[in-house]
Amino acid sequence: MKPSLPDAIDYREQSPEVQERFSRLKERPVVLSVEGLGKTFPTPGGEVTALKGVDFEVFRREFMCVIGPSGCGKSTLIRILAGLETESGGQVLLDGNPVAGPGPDRGMVFQSYTLFPWLTVKQNVMFGPKMEGKSGSSVEGEARQWIDLVGLSQFENSYPHQLSGGMKQRVAIARALANRPRILLMDEPFGALDAQTRAQMQSYLLQIWRNLDITILFITHDLDEAVFLADRILVLKANPGEVDEIIEVPVPRPRRLDQSIEPEFIATKHRINQLIHPESEGKEDTLPFARMTVEGDDVE
Ligand SMILES: Nc1ncnc2c1ncn2[C@@H]1O[C@H](COP(=O)(O)OP(=O)(O)OP(=O)(O)O)[C@@H](O)[C@H]1O
Ligand SMILES: [Mg+2]
């Protein structure tokens, strides 16, 4: 039998403290504004609508997560925000200015390891500022500060193949931050890491976010990750990718791993689950059966 879960938290029924927290968040300046965003892809089988009428805002220093079923348009959304893909309709504003193409004001971290394998950690981190025409010892000094911030000072002269997956992603974060972006855009950055490293990276990221004046938009498949990290969670639904709900996470900060058993954490997860998998509510998955044991064997 399924364990009974607390009722879904509706942000309109949040406690006065939580309501107060989110009304203060919404008084901050808007960093990213997405208005009526649409994206269609022509395919041999006809047009695919990946995104339709997506509207939301991200406030200064907010940590927003985006979650939704596979294929609902999460990567398409972040690629448009990064300027790597053009929208079919609507617009994206960064600090009030329309986004047209990639720029150093947006830092990207992807799931796949994207460091340049022929450059050292320090050279990877210095790459962006050098492309911007900066040079000299100040760039090197700044790169060292970013590497220090992600705790990899001892590895500044190592090459990516000498690092673990978690360390590579820490370098990728340092490299993205080295351009001093207005917003960090992260597409499942910890998706390829084992569970323990992933939990460690989530804590690192929250520390970095707290220490810096940075706004983060973070895509994930993982419900626990979203609730652990986010101020608000944008839930997308598929076919076409539309905003289903924006959830205000009531779990207090600073976050700790042991909060994952608190009622508000479980209730928030439950609410996302209801939105993402409405048809599986209360149903057990049944799989086709093929007997590989002899009848009478003492197995369940
Ligand atoms: N370049 C493309 N050409 C045609 N269709 C595309 C292209 N890129 C994405 N799509 C389609 O757009 C939809 C959204 O894809 P997208 O990769 O954004 O989903 P996602 O939410 O990131 O999925 P996942 O969780 O599996 O990473 C899918 O139906 C996908 O097939
Ligand atoms: Mg994706």
Side-chain angles (χ1 to χ4, degrees):
M1 214 180 90
K2 278 193 164 184
S4 67
L5 291 164
D7 281 342
I9 285 183
D10 183 329
Y11 64 89
R12 287 154 293 201
E13 292 167 15
Q14 303 273 34
S15 69
E17 298 81 58
V18 174
Q19 285 181 25
E20 164 70 18
R21 177 146 57 93
F22 285 102
S23 62
R24 278 206 313 271
L25 183 133
K26 290 173 196 166
E27 282 166 10
R28 298 184 205 160
V30 174
V31 172
L32 182 78
S33 177
V34 174
E35 297 172 357
L37 192 69
K39 177 70 185 176
T40 52
F41 288 107
T43 67
E47 251 185 15
V48 172
T49 305
L51 295 170
K52 191 177 165 205
V54 173
D55 278 309
F56 67 97
E57 287 175 326
V58 186
F59 298 91
R60 186 176 146 92
R61 269 198 127 225
E62 180 174 8
F63 199 130
M64 183 180 258
C65 283
V66 179
I67 202 164
S70 188
C72 72
K74 302 182 292 298
S75 296
T76 304
L77 170 67
I78 214 158
R79 286 175 58 78
I80 293 173
L81 302 182
L84 301 171
E85 193 91 69
T86 51
E87 65 276 4
S88 313
Q91 64 172 352
V92 177
L93 304 172
L94 188 73
D95 291 324
N97 303 312
V99 160
D105 48 10
R106 282 146 291 145
M108 282 291 299
V109 182
F110 298 95
Q111 175 177 344
S112 53
Y113 305 130
T114 52
L115 300 178
F116 302 119
W118 61 91
L119 298 180
T120 64
V121 165
K122 192 170 65 192
Q123 289 164 341
N124 263 288
V125 175
M126 285 163 60
F127 186 83
K130 278 192 160 177
M131 290 292 284
E132 290 293 296
K134 295 179 189 157
S135 60
S137 58
S138 67
V139 175
E140 192 164 344
E142 265 198 40
R144 284 215 171 91
Q145 281 177 17
W146 294 117
I147 295 166
D148 195 29
L149 187 91
V150 295
L152 289 177
S153 298
Q154 293 170 355
F155 297 91
E156 64 172 54
N157 294 317
S158 301
Y159 286 88
H161 76 270
Q162 297 171 308
L163 306 176
S164 70
M167 289 155 86
K168 282 182 204 165
Q169 288 308 68
R170 281 197 265 162
V171 180
I173 293 169
R175 187 179 62 175
L177 291 171
N179 287 321
R180 298 183 172 275
R182 292 286 296 150
I183 188 165
L184 202 52
L185 304 171
M186 309 182 86
D187 191 357
E188 308 211 35
F190 309 145
L193 304 176
D194 64 85
Q196 210 179 344
T197 311
R198 187 175 189 149
Q200 216 174 40
M201 290 298 294
Q202 291 163 0
S203 298
Y204 273 130
L205 184 62
L206 282 185
Q207 282 178 45
I208 291 169
W209 172 71
R210 253 204 327 271
N211 293 344
L212 295 175
D213 188 20
I214 187 92
T215 308
I216 299 182
L217 190 81
F218 186 107
I219 287 180
T220 180
H221 264 110
D222 187 297
L223 272 56
D224 285 274
E225 184 165 72
V227 180
F228 182 65
L229 295 174
D231 290 313
R232 295 186 302 154
I233 301 171
L234 178 86
V235 185
L236 281 181
K237 58 183 170 194
N239 302 317
E242 288 177 298
V243 177
D244 202 352
E245 190 163 308
I246 298 179
I247 293 175
E248 300 179 342
V249 181
V251 182
R253 291 195 189 276
R255 301 269 163 85
R256 304 179 319 271
L257 286 175
D258 60 5
Q259 284 169 318
S260 63
I261 51 168
E262 300 285 338
E264 64 263 76
F265 195 106
I266 296 171
T268 310
K269 251 175 78 176
H270 183 48
R271 176 69 189 140
I272 306 170
N273 204 36
Q274 276 181 331
L275 291 168
I276 298 181
H277 307 291
E279 70 289 347
S280 69
E281 274 287 298
K283 268 195 246 156
E284 295 284 345
D285 276 348
T286 48
L287 295 171
F289 180 76
R291 181 173 285 281
M292 293 180 71
T293 52
V294 179
E295 231 168 303
D297 273 359
D298 192 13
V299 293
E300 190 186 330

